[in-house]
Amino acid sequence: MSHADLSLVDAYWRAANYLSAGQIYLMDNPLLTEPLAPEHIKPRLLGHWGTTPGLNFVYAHLNRVIRERDLEVLFVTGLGHGGPALLANTWLEGTYSETYPDVPRDGEGMRRLFRQFSFPGGVPSHVAPEVPGSIHEGGELGYSLAHAFGAAFDNPNLIVACVVGDGEAETGPLATSWHATKFLNPVRDGAVLPILHLNGYKIANPSLLARIPRDELDSLLRGYGYTPYYVEGDEPDAMHARMAEVLDQVVDEIARIKVRTDRPRWPMIVLRSPKGWTGPSEVDGVPVENTWRSHQVPLAGVRDNPDHLRQLEAWLRSYLPEELFDANGAPRPELSELVPDGTRRMGATPHANGGLLVRELKMPPIREHAVDVVKHGTTLSEPTRVLGRMLRDVITLNAGAADFRVFGPDETASNRLGAVFEVTGKQWQAETLPVDENLAHEGRVVEVLSEHLCQGMLEGYLLTGRHGLFNCYEAFIHIVDSMFNQHAKWLKTHQKLNWRRPIASLNYLLSSHVWRQDHNGFSHQDPGFIDHVMNKKAEVVRVYLPPDTNTLLQVADHCLRSRDYVNVIVAGKNDTPDWLSADEAALHCARGAGIWEWASNDEDEPDVVLACAGDAPTVEVLAATSLLRQHLPSLRVRVVNVVDLMRLQPDTEHPHGMPDREFDALFTTDRPVIFAYHGYPWLIHRLTYRRTNHRNLHVRGYKEEGTTTTPFDMLVLNDMDRYRLVIDVVDRVPGLGPKAARLRQLMQDQRTRHHAWIREHGEDLPEVRDWTWQ
Amino acid sequence: MSHADLSLVDAYWRAANYLSAGQIYLMDNPLLTEPLAPEHIKPRLLGHWGTTPGLNFVYAHLNRVIRERDLEVLFVTGLGHGGPALLANTWLEGTYSETYPDVPRDGEGMRRLFRQFSFPGGVPSHVAPEVPGSIHEGGELGYSLAHAFGAAFDNPNLIVACVVGDGEAETGPLATSWHATKFLNPVRDGAVLPILHLNGYKIANPSLLARIPRDELDSLLRGYGYTPYYVEGDEPDAMHARMAEVLDQVVDEIARIKVRTDRPRWPMIVLRSPKGWTGPSEVDGVPVENTWRSHQVPLAGVRDNPDHLRQLEAWLRSYLPEELFDANGAPRPELSELVPDGTRRMGATPHANGGLLVRELKMPPIREHAVDVVKHGTTLSEPTRVLGRMLRDVITLNAGAADFRVFGPDETASNRLGAVFEVTGKQWQAETLPVDENLAHEGRVVEVLSEHLCQGMLEGYLLTGRHGLFNCYEAFIHIVDSMFNQHAKWLKTHQKLNWRRPIASLNYLLSSHVWRQDHNGFSHQDPGFIDHVMNKKAEVVRVYLPPDTNTLLQVADHCLRSRDYVNVIVAGKNDTPDWLSADEAALHCARGAGIWEWASNDEDEPDVVLACAGDAPTVEVLAATSLLRQHLPSLRVRVVNVVDLMRLQPDTEHPHGMPDREFDALFTTDRPVIFAYHGYPWLIHRLTYRRTNHRNLHVRGYKEEGTTTTPFDMLVLNDMDRYRLVIDVVDRVPGLGPKAARLRQLMQDQRTRHHAWIREHGEDLPEVRDWTWQ
């Protein structure tokens, strides 16, 4: 590196540091054209300086290497509140003003850039959807590397530079994400360049990785499979020289790796620099730079304390703003020499605005996979197994584009999606043995026993304009509750930003669900992910409970084609009656909820409504209906099935919600409704409490009972079995006479008989196990 | 090790393997006294063989070293479905039969042991509360090491042997748990001996750590701070010799470490043995032993396939059961020579039944910390800061017993509990620098930026009979949703097992809550942990929303004294009006919900009820009440505050639930109720939909609005501010006349004025910022 080049990098860095500090403090006088006065200072000082200069340092150096080598780089800011840095850099390179013309690259623009930061109605202190070039939320920590690897998959020309904070590095999800190189294909995928920023401190503590001996850290990173390159120090010139040298080395090394077929040892950078670098070294007699005290606002009393104010002015002027910006406040032209061209600018890469790149997924005709249903509910199929065949064809049809992947924590086969392995493998670069099956250097399935990593990689993959599915046991999906939160909130903000184009939805397939606890104890089963999801904004979330194979295919087809949602599909893998033909399924799923006329005998005037949502509840409702028909043939029973849970809400609450008139038409205004639901029963009440007939609604569902038992016994223990539903009807429909009492007793006897049978035989009674609709 | 010793270990191992396989397959003929026939086989073969022989191997060898050295060892089974192994071993050592006399140590007992396994009404396939000697649920993976470290804290004489599965090792929580040695004090705490079991495969995939080069693995483990000892192979004799040698070495090393004051390099064991070791090597022509195919049931067709049946019988007989058990089915006396004495048996250690050890926590008088309240709501204090002083005294009072710890992800100071640092430090064994504050080799506070690790360590600490508190930002607590699930389910089962004694509750203090988003964007904030918690069994969960400082002290005191619950306390850290004196707070918290007479003017006949739960909602309700008094003095307003959220439920649903009569007395049967709630409003509907007056209930709460703004603006954006509440009253109370319309307009103007003000000034209007009750 020539000396001239590095002084340009340094000038750029100083400019970014100036702009970062300015955002934290200034409401006015952005160019310090007059002496700093209290009225220029924001009333509430909110923001995070500590991590910022290191980020600015990395960004400036990346610009240099991108320009010199015409690289395509996506920047991921893993540490927390790094907002000022990315806002400063995108403003400097011009992408911010192109995205937000009301914040131009001049003095007035700079004033607005400063003022909006951490200000009501402005922008957050962390990197957020509002920041051009970002795919990664800086709120909850731990997911940067997973996002980076997800972004790199199937992007062979991309380098994802991922700054990992040393606080973030303590989180579990980040700690396991290092291992993702065991999946990354050096030729077909892009490169991830982790830059571990040993900034030294978190909010109030040193970080663990900054306080272990260098050889131990080195050993750890090599153990993760990387070759670490160290850039350590606090003297800017030496640090610039070292960083430039190291970046050239690692980019060379990545180029060498990109032609290999075995698992390489990827390079990474360890940047050890002072927290709050170039900020006030001491304030009020205590050290601030290079301590946790520089985490947020190093000088807190600027508005009231003249010493702090003077210290702030000196700090800001130390960057020599007059050398960096012209009289109008625009960055001086020489700074532009470091800025890459057009979409090579990290704030302008289309990979960070995946909607610009996303392609329509080619979908196979649903009919090709639909099961034949001659008579409702008399044949059985395994819904997810059939879906596996459809996903197989999705993979085949989109093989050329290579933009669809299935993620899962070692459960794809267990969830019976195994047909995908007819056409693809599980991507795997670690050692293989002859006994292995379905492992491949390139494959559309990624399996790792970390739901965090699955979720994070899929998010990264979607945000960069591709498609995917996360298949998971229902019980374990709560592991990513908070990751879902953050993605859903990202999507809500993203939807409001016109410059961000719609991306493919995040699709969950939850199988091996709560109604099958054959060998699990009462340990972790929980159908409450749905409850969790429904706390998020209606614009973003969708929940589907297809009752059989053909409805599952419809729902999956719809979800895979959709944009900007989180779709949750809950579907069983075990033999399930085929209730609906392909045509019926298409109609039923389009409606989202409806009367199953063929199962009802109410002739528009039901005595009772039996409603169901979910595969197991649907079987029980149909079986109960069948029992009622046999024992109380004159009782008029209506069967309602709900596929799209959001239909139950009022139309004022959710775009899928039903108007009251429609709800009343299905559920009546005055008849008892027995509702068998897949999850926690109170969710149905929450969705329907405003409806006319809510007082007559009686919901059965999972109430945290049952351990290590048969499928039917799970239903009995949670009072959702067919016999219990018949009892519910008998108890709620008036005027049934003595026949009803006898039926009630008969049902109770059946429950008792079942209980005794399974305790003796260890399996369900054949009559419930093999039941089909007659 | 003498040859004789090791053949005893081998015999013990064979016995455990025999008993494990027997559990998976046999309903009868447990001793193979007659040729194996289909009717001896369970109808549903459910269970997991793959991990079992390795676990049995470790357990047998630990027995040897425990006996020889009189060690106190707690065994943690980190991998998943390892139930058969622990059931087999505790039965062999006698602790199972002592705990469950109906499963004696004879042939009939063996038959019952086999039959109950993964059988309806029996025991799960994973390690669960039912297993003596266990503190760790084998359902959802990833938390074994965290539990182990939690158990080791303040137990200087204990060695926690923790078998880490290589599948589990891929999870994030486990991946970061290795670092916990940076907190463990070698002298004051116990030792954790991780035994990484490279079993090779998960359900359907190889495990990552089994498929990286040995030097890379070695580097990783050394990087985590351990010295790995390798026990690798498949030949039993050689493996026994090596395991015995290594165990002696690591126990010696632990003894040397236990007198050091610097951070040691702890020993650990890597056990590389075949999955399904000693099971069928091939079935139907494909390899099974040492492949993923031995994960569950290696021979699946035993009942119908005579070849499989013969193969099973040969397999079972390969352990030579006649040499291991006498004619009555009891283990032969020589096996007992390997069994440690009394409570040294791992199934009998009191550390695994913490209720046997738990001590009453000494609590300071609440009054010592209560703030003076001369007039309701006219002084301000920071609730968590005052709580910090109480916690400081809890630490002092219980210093001798050393059985109380505070865990948190770097937020204890930020949550304003900093007073604790007057008397203790943050425990830390990594490098320190002169600039550090409050770090100590021994301290009652443990901070690590992993909510998983905080939660896991606290669980381990509580389950072994100690006390603690997890303080966390509200937004990040969803990270441990699934860990909470598992602990709550463990507690429910534990409560039902008479031999398990009550343990201290798991206490969450959630602060920095959703109503303060000063510099956060719309990224991760979510008050829904409460919703998540309330899906669990009423016997286990409690949720408290203290509105001020004195109520927070009351609630915290109650929670810290309680047993067998999960308590969630949500409390702000910012200045809050002191509503209640210490006496009033005690009474109000005992009631859980009540009318605040001093704030009401309803004289038992309200026109409207203003209810609140949570600190921010309480301020708004009181401010709205004040506005109503000013503008509509004749309106009779009742103020109801709810501290204990469970009070809202019917008494049939929760032990804290109110009878309808009491609910009606508070909320009336026919007046409008405006309810301002801390979290998602629909939770209040879910809790109250059965109440008489539910149709008149109107709930305000967090509805996912607001990004980077002032505290009052958060309220405005979510329609929970005082002006909006007044408008709600005006809209719902009939007959208020033209005055009401003018008030409505005035309130609307105030909202508009506020909006304009904060956009200009960046802070709230002084009149809302500094508001107190008059």
Side-chain angles (χ1 to χ4, degrees), chain B residues 197-245:
Chain B
H197 189 196
L198 291 185
N199 205 27
Y201 299 89
K202 298 168 286 185
I203 301 179
N205 281 293
S207 67
L208 285 179
L209 295 188
R211 294 294 181 87
I212 60 176
R214 163 77 172 271
D215 65 335
E216 203 167 304
L217 177 67
D218 195 77
S219 187
L220 180 66
L221 299 173
R222 287 178 193 278
Y224 278 134
Y226 298 83
T227 303
Y229 289 78
Y230 294 87
V231 179
E232 301 173 294
D234 59 8
E235 203 284 302
D237 285 349
M239 288 290 278
H240 285 308
R242 175 68 185 150
M243 184 69 174
E245 178 192 3

Side-chain angles (χ1 to χ4, degrees), chain A residues 148-179:
Chain A
F149 280 97
F153 280 134
D154 300 313
N155 265 329
N157 300 318
L158 188 66
I159 296 177
V160 187
C162 178
V163 184
V164 176
D166 51 355
E168 177 190 22
E170 293 177 18
T171 68
L174 198 291
T176 200
S177 294
W178 298 103
H179 288 296

Side-chain angles (χ1 to χ4, degrees), chain A residues 545-560:
Chain A
L545 295 155
D548 71 353
T549 295
N550 286 339
T551 50
L552 173 61
L553 298 181
Q554 283 292 339
V555 164
D557 178 81
H558 174 78
C559 292
L560 287 169

Side-chain angles (χ1 to χ4, degrees), chain A residues 666-733:
Chain A
L666 285 185
F667 293 97
T668 79
T669 55
D670 58 358
R671 297 305 145 97
V673 180
I674 315 294
F675 198 126
Y677 167 56
H678 170 82
Y680 294 110
W682 34 85
L683 181 71
I684 302 301
H685 289 293
R686 163 182 153 184
L687 297 175
T688 59
Y689 68 84
R690 291 203 177 114
R691 303 297 193 174
T692 320
N693 199 25
H694 179 256
R695 70 190 177 286
N696 290 313
L697 179 66
H698 183 69
V699 187
R700 294 293 183 181
Y702 178 67
K703 51 180 191 179
E704 295 275 323
E705 293 293 340
T707 167
T708 322
T709 194
T710 63
F712 191 73
D713 198 41
M714 275 299 291
L715 298 159
V716 173
L717 293 169
N718 286 283
D719 286 326
M720 201 179 75
D721 61 285
R722 56 199 66 176
Y723 308 125
R724 179 73 239 185
L725 296 177
V726 169
I727 293 172
D728 285 341
V729 169
V730 167
D731 288 350
R732 275 163 187 80
V733 176

Side-chain angles (χ1 to χ4, degrees), chain A residues 102-359:
Chain A
D102 57 325
V103 186
R105 225 149 55 118
D106 59 20
E108 175 56 16
M110 195 191 292
R111 196 187 65 82
R112 291 181 187 175
L113 179 76
F114 288 4
R115 185 188 166 88
Q116 69 173 7
F117 176 79
S118 258
F119 201 84
V123 298
S125 170
H126 46 85
V127 179
E130 291 89 340
V131 180
S134 175
I135 61 162
H136 177 79
E137 175 63 63
E140 183 177 299
L141 303 179
Y143 317 119
S144 63
L145 264 183
H147 285 164
F149 280 97
F153 280 134
D154 300 313
N155 265 329
N157 300 318
L158 188 66
I159 296 177
V160 187
C162 178
V163 184
V164 176
D166 51 355
E168 177 190 22
E170 293 177 18
T171 68
L174 198 291
T176 200
S177 294
W178 298 103
H179 288 296
T181 51
K182 279 105 192 172
F183 303 101
L184 202 71
N185 181 305
V187 179
R188 310 271 309 235
D189 299 323
V192 172
L193 175 62
I195 301 167
L196 175 62
H197 189 197
L198 291 185
N199 206 27
Y201 299 89
K202 298 169 285 185
I203 302 178
N205 282 293
S207 67
L208 285 179
L209 295 187
R211 295 294 182 90
I212 60 175
R214 164 76 172 272
D215 65 336
E216 203 167 301
L217 177 67
D218 195 77
S219 188
L220 180 66
L221 299 172
R222 287 178 194 276
Y224 278 134
Y226 298 84
T227 303
Y229 289 78
Y230 294 86
V231 180
E232 300 173 292
D234 58 9
E235 203 287 301
D237 286 351
M239 288 290 278
H240 285 309
R242 176 66 184 151
M243 184 67 174
E245 177 193 3
V246 159
L247 261 184
D248 283 336
Q249 286 171 336
V250 299
V251 171
D252 287 345
E253 197 170 328
I254 287 171
R256 281 193 298 271
I257 283 171
K258 292 286 298 168
V259 296
R260 287 168 63 160
T261 55
D262 57 338
R263 177 166 78 88
R265 185 172 276 281
W266 291 89
M268 66 169 289
I269 295 175
V270 177
L271 172 64
R272 191 191 294 265
S273 65
K275 184 151 185 159
W277 198 11
T278 74
S281 67
E282 276 197 10
V283 176
D284 301 331
V286 294
V288 170
E289 189 187 18
N290 206 15
T291 80
W292 73 95
R293 295 191 190 92
S294 61
H295 181 73
Q296 295 194 9
V297 177
L299 292 157
V302 197
R303 237 178 150 175
D304 308 312
N305 179 333
D307 282 345
H308 282 202
L309 185 67
R310 269 192 298 278
Q311 207 176 342
L312 172 62
E313 182 160 359
W315 167 22
L316 290 170
R317 291 201 190 277
S318 75
Y319 299 117
L320 310 174
E322 62 285 3
E323 288 184 7
L324 305 168
F325 307 102
D326 66 22
N328 291 326
R332 290 196 181 271
E334 51 272 34
L335 288 185
S336 304
E337 286 169 30
L338 198 70
V339 176
D341 292 330
T343 57
R344 289 292 194 248
R345 290 172 302 172
M346 289 183 283
T349 173
H351 294 291
N353 188 0
L356 295 174
L357 302 174
V358 73
R359 206 182 51 91

Side-chain angles (χ1 to χ4, degrees), chain A residues 547-593:
Chain A
D548 71 353
T549 295
N550 286 339
T551 50
L552 173 61
L553 298 181
Q554 283 292 339
V555 164
D557 178 81
H558 174 78
C559 292
L560 287 169
R561 293 173 191 271
S562 73
R563 293 286 184 274
D564 278 356
Y565 298 146
V566 175
N567 296 308
V568 180
I569 310 171
V570 185
K573 65 186 184 184
N574 299 99
D575 263 337
T576 304
D578 301 315
W579 303 114
L580 300 186
S581 70
D583 284 343
E584 290 167 331
L587 188 61
H588 184 54
C589 291
R591 288 178 178 159

